[in-house]
Amino acid sequence: MERVDTTIIGAGVVGLSIAAQIAQPSKEVYIIERHASFGQETSSRNSEVIHSGIYYPKGSLKAITCVEGNRLLYDICASNNIPHKRIGKLIIATNLNETQILMSLLHRATDNGVQDLVILNKKEMQKIEPNIEGVAALYSPNTGIIDSHSLMLYFANKSKANGATFIYGATVIGIDSFHKEYKITIIDTDKESFSFISRVVINAAGLEADTIAKLVGINTYNLLYCKGDYFKVGNHKNKLINHLIYPVPHSQNVEAKQKSRYGGAVLGIHATINLQNELRLGPDDYYIPRSQLQGRLKPSLQQDYSVDASKSVIFYHAVKPFLPFIEIQDLTPEQSGIRPKLQPLSQGRRGPSLQPDFDFTDFIIQDETQNGLHNFINLIGIESPGLTASPAIANLVAHLLSNFN
């Protein structure tokens, strides 16, 4: 049976960044991806923002990898001609209560090592963004935007140049552990199966990372699918803002949480400008069912990425307090994405159940040796700021690999 050194399951931005970091001619690396190309799910259906690390608790993996990833990502882009722009971001307070939340965010970001943040009063805010409304803003100059496809293409090409092999259209249906190695069985789009041996396995399967973990007997990780929709802003209003514009995050605002009809997004429905100077709003968030078959993935699994045009009313009400120039007729459906939300099991009268909530959940980047799985690394719940954090996550995984035999 064929043997390889390392297998990475999943060719999203995280799997690709890991492959680019660890691939070398002396060690054969496989990257298994169920789609026909890389980055077809969460990695290509997001706001394409380079985050600075404002929102996450000090010491969390999200905070650490986001702050480091911000620096690394700008360096990678500058050195490899990857389209990006350090556009800057404003988090807008629309009342005095939200101003206090801005101060809390400033302190949290400072604790995380985020530099150059500043609180702007109304006059200072409107000097740089005259068309927005609010009483104050937190300004983050190191937040930016990036062409995520170009970034992933760079990671993929670097991996291939160092000898990595990509296997597309292949779904992992079995992983058997023996003698500190793993027999991996995959099935292709023609329903033909193939097995090989891998010394190391890295589970970067994104939306199905918990399913892959279950294939090796780890049942403690549970992902919910959180869908977010985007609307494009037309009528030439893309020229009315110059920065990314965010509301105060709902996770910090009990009142905003309760107004679910205005969109339940933890960071709030925000306005972003992409590299083509197009303005869009989103995402909101809501939980959707998962499609599985007896614990195994359907090779032909297709997610529903449609956007309900009638939600334009919700988006309008969500942003109108700080983007007064937006009108309902400006909005047309654009795209949607699905994020893997890691949620704990809640114990109810009918037994354990998954409960969506607003509590913070961190990335899981876990060497599973403690569970009897040598040379196996799980990456679970890698959602935002996963794009920003990807090169830092790759460094962390490379460090874990250095301890393997």
Side-chain angles (χ1 to χ4, degrees):
M1 189 173 293
E2 183 175 352
R3 291 178 179 270
V4 300
D5 183 80
T6 301
T7 298
I8 300 169
I9 303 172
V13 68
V14 171
L16 292 171
S17 65
I18 294 169
Q21 177 73 4
I22 70 171
Q24 50 185 289
S26 61
K27 292 184 178 180
E28 189 159 14
V29 175
Y30 275 5
I31 300 96
I32 311 296
E33 170 55 48
R34 61 176 170 159
H35 291 285
S37 185
F38 59 78
Q40 297 299 296
E41 294 181 350
T42 309
S43 298
S44 60
R45 294 177 169 272
N46 56 71
S47 299
E48 295 189 300
V49 171
I50 302 175
H51 292 285
S52 60
I54 294 172
Y55 302 103
Y56 319 108
K58 181 181 180 180
S60 65
L61 282 175
K62 285 184 177 179
I64 293 169
T65 58
C66 184
V67 173
E68 181 185 356
N70 177 280
R71 175 182 58 81
L72 293 173
L73 210 50
Y74 280 123
D75 289 345
I76 290 170
C77 289
S79 300
N80 298 280
N81 297 315
I82 296 170
H84 70 290
K85 188 175 182 180
R86 203 184 300 254
I87 192 172
K89 164 181 169 177
L90 293 174
I91 303 175
I92 308 299
T94 58
N95 56 57
L96 293 179
N97 288 336
E98 291 185 344
T99 301
Q100 295 303 311
I101 298 173
L102 292 186
M103 293 302 300
S104 297
L105 290 173
L106 174 61
H107 293 316
R108 171 174 285 185
T110 302
D111 286 344
N112 288 340
V114 182
Q115 300 177 349
D116 300 327
L117 297 183
V118 62
I119 298 286
L120 305 178
N121 61 32
K122 183 172 183 175
K123 183 178 180 180
E124 292 168 330
M125 176 185 71
Q126 292 191 326
K127 183 177 181 180
I128 63 173
E129 285 289 2
N131 295 307
I132 65 174
E133 189 60 55
V135 297
L138 178 61
Y139 176 47
S140 170
N142 278 317
T143 301
I145 52 177
I146 186 172
D147 180 343
S148 60
H149 178 81
S150 294
L151 175 68
M152 290 188 284
L153 182 61
Y154 162 73
F155 285 145
N157 287 340
K158 182 179 178 183
S159 305
K160 292 176 184 177
N162 285 321
T165 299
F166 284 79
I167 304 175
Y168 290 116
T171 299
V172 176
I173 60 172
I175 306 177
D176 299 307
S177 172
F178 62 98
H179 303 304
K180 297 185 179 181
E181 291 185 323
Y182 299 89
K183 176 186 174 184
I184 299 176
T185 301
I186 61 177
I187 187 170
D188 62 21
T189 53
D190 295 324
K191 298 184 179 180
E192 296 290 334
S193 63
F194 170 74
S195 297
F196 61 95
I197 302 297
S198 184
R199 184 181 69 90
V200 173
V201 177
I202 300 170
N203 172 17
L207 292 174
E208 296 296 344
D210 59 340
T211 303
I212 297 298
K214 287 177 173 64
L215 292 179
V216 289
I218 299 177
N219 300 306
T220 53
Y221 304 128
N222 299 281
L223 293 175
L224 300 183
Y225 283 3
C226 184
K227 186 176 178 182
D229 299 329
Y230 292 86
F231 278 77
K232 185 177 180 179
V233 180
N235 297 328
H236 305 289
K237 292 187 175 180
N238 58 309
K239 298 179 181 180
L240 295 180
I241 62 173
N242 305 302
H243 302 77
L244 308 177
I245 307 296
Y246 282 59
V248 166
H250 292 185
S251 58
Q252 306 292 319
N253 187 333
V254 175
E255 180 182 0
K257 280 189 201 179
Q258 296 170 345
K259 295 181 179 179
S260 58
R261 65 191 178 97
Y262 294 131
V266 174
L267 296 186
I269 294 173
H270 49 268
T272 58
I273 304 171
N274 64 18
L275 291 167
Q276 291 72 47
N277 202 37
E278 296 169 329
L279 176 60
R280 64 177 176 174
L281 306 178
D284 59 353
D285 67 358
Y286 53 100
Y287 289 88
I288 61 173
R290 292 182 61 172
S291 299
Q292 289 183 313
L293 179 64
Q294 298 178 350
R296 293 188 176 185
L297 304 186
K298 296 179 181 178
S300 60
L301 176 64
Q302 295 292 325
Q303 298 295 345
D304 178 9
Y305 288 111
S306 63
V307 178
D308 181 357
S310 69
K311 293 175 69 175
S312 61
V313 177
I314 296 175
F315 278 63
Y316 165 77
H317 284 295
V319 304
K320 190 67 173 180
F322 58 95
L323 298 176
F325 58 85
I326 296 291
E327 301 297 340
I328 294 178
Q329 58 266 29
D330 300 329
L331 306 182
T332 55
E334 192 209 37
Q335 70 162 7
S336 68
I338 300 173
R339 290 155 281 177
K341 291 280 188 180
L342 183 64
Q343 297 290 340
L345 286 170
S346 297
Q347 187 67 39
R349 287 186 297 176
R350 297 184 179 180
S353 62
L354 286 168
Q355 297 295 329
D357 56 39
F358 287 90
D359 292 339
F360 174 81
T361 53
D362 205 0
F363 293 156
I364 298 292
I365 304 174
Q366 179 68 48
D367 167 8
E368 297 291 358
T369 300
Q370 63 182 8
N371 288 317
L373 296 169
H374 299 277
N375 300 351
F376 195 104
I377 295 175
N378 268 320
L379 295 98
I380 315 286
I382 311 297
E383 50 162 337
S384 181
L387 176 63
T388 304
S390 58
I393 291 174
N395 286 345
L396 179 55
V397 170
H399 175 73
L400 292 175
L401 291 176
S402 68
N403 297 321
F404 288 176
N405 296 322

